[in-house]
Amino acid sequence: DIQMTQSPSTLSAAVGDRVTITCRASQSIRTWLAWYQQKPGKAPKLLIYKASSLESGVPSRFSGSGSGTEFTLTISSLQPDDFATYYCQQYNSDYTFGQGTKLDLK
Amino acid sequence: QLQLQESGSGLVQPSQTLSLTCAVSGGSISSGAYSWSWIRQPPGKGLEWIGYIYHTGSTYYNPSLESRVTISIDRSKNQFSLKLTSMTAADTAVYYCARGGTAPSHFASWGQGTLVTVSS
């Protein structure tokens, strides 16, 4: 099984901040990585796929990068609507998700 | 616009079988370009993929759940279903259905989720 580890588990930030979340895979997953945003009581929403491709309709302040075993999700300027939990997901071999990063208001 | 809607038993007794259905609207489940998955999330925890099915009926399951899972498809009703046997409290979760591309893939469309509680 490929394990996905996100850091940090919790991130406190302010509106306007630039934030970065990291996801590490236990073995190479090339660029088969997606990022999701989840708000309480809602289904996850796809933000990024294939490590750096922005899903249609997702604001351009979201970006993804990385390959192999290390990946990042960056939000260039936090907006009030961005406070949520973020998950990475690998799909190189089966499907596994990271444990999540909760982004809350500082 | 594609919509997925889960339905089924919200309360399951221990050792019994969970049955859920995902109704698909705004698109055909018979499209060969997509896989149809079930994913779950225990309260306050992360996401776990359960398995997927193609319109052909071909399936693939999470090895950790494979012995208890069956996913089936009903093309005439544009829906697919999940059965999970021998339920325990550890199976209490919100269950989501989702559409992916040709597997393996990310999940671009999700249902709203349905909470399943295992309790006597």
Side-chain angles (χ1 to χ4, degrees), chain B residues 46-85:
Chain B
L47 298 152
E48 179 181 37
W49 170 74
I50 298 170
Y52 67 69
I53 191 165
Y54 282 110
H55 73 100
T56 57
S58 175
T59 55
Y60 186 65
Y61 303 134
N62 185 325
S64 69
L65 297 168
E66 185 171 15
S67 63
R68 299 195 292 135
V69 174
T70 302
I71 298 176
S72 59
I73 194 166
D74 187 334
R75 287 174 287 278
S76 67
K77 294 183 178 178
N78 218 38
Q79 64 186 33
F80 62 108
S81 299
L82 169 70
K83 289 191 185 300
L84 185 62
T85 63

Side-chain angles (χ1 to χ4, degrees), chain A:
Chain A
D1 286 10
I2 298 177
Q3 308 301 317
M4 306 301 292
T5 304
Q6 288 182 232
S7 59
S9 295
T10 305
L11 178 58
S12 297
V15 173
D17 283 354
R18 178 184 180 91
V19 299
T20 298
I21 298 168
T22 297
C23 181
R24 289 186 174 86
S26 59
Q27 64 190 72
S28 176
I29 57 169
R30 297 176 283 177
T31 56
W32 301 117
L33 184 102
W35 289 98
Y36 300 86
Q37 176 193 70
Q38 188 178 33
K39 296 182 178 180
K42 299 294 186 182
K45 173 188 174 183
L46 177 67
L47 302 174
I48 302 284
Y49 61 95
K50 208 164 182 298
S52 60
S53 296
L54 191 68
E55 173 70 350
S56 176
V58 174
S60 59
R61 63 181 180 272
F62 291 92
S63 64
S65 66
S67 65
T69 61
E70 186 153 338
F71 303 85
T72 58
L73 173 70
T74 300
I75 309 173
S76 60
S77 179
L78 266 178
Q79 299 302 301
D81 191 49
D82 299 339
F83 293 98
T85 300
Y86 292 84
Y87 291 93
C88 61
Q89 174 226 339
Q90 69 82 16
Y91 49 103
N92 180 78
S93 173
D94 293 347
Y95 304 88
T96 48
F97 293 84
Q99 82 279 15
T101 294
K102 185 177 181 181
L103 178 55
D104 62 22
L105 186 60
K106 185 187 293 181

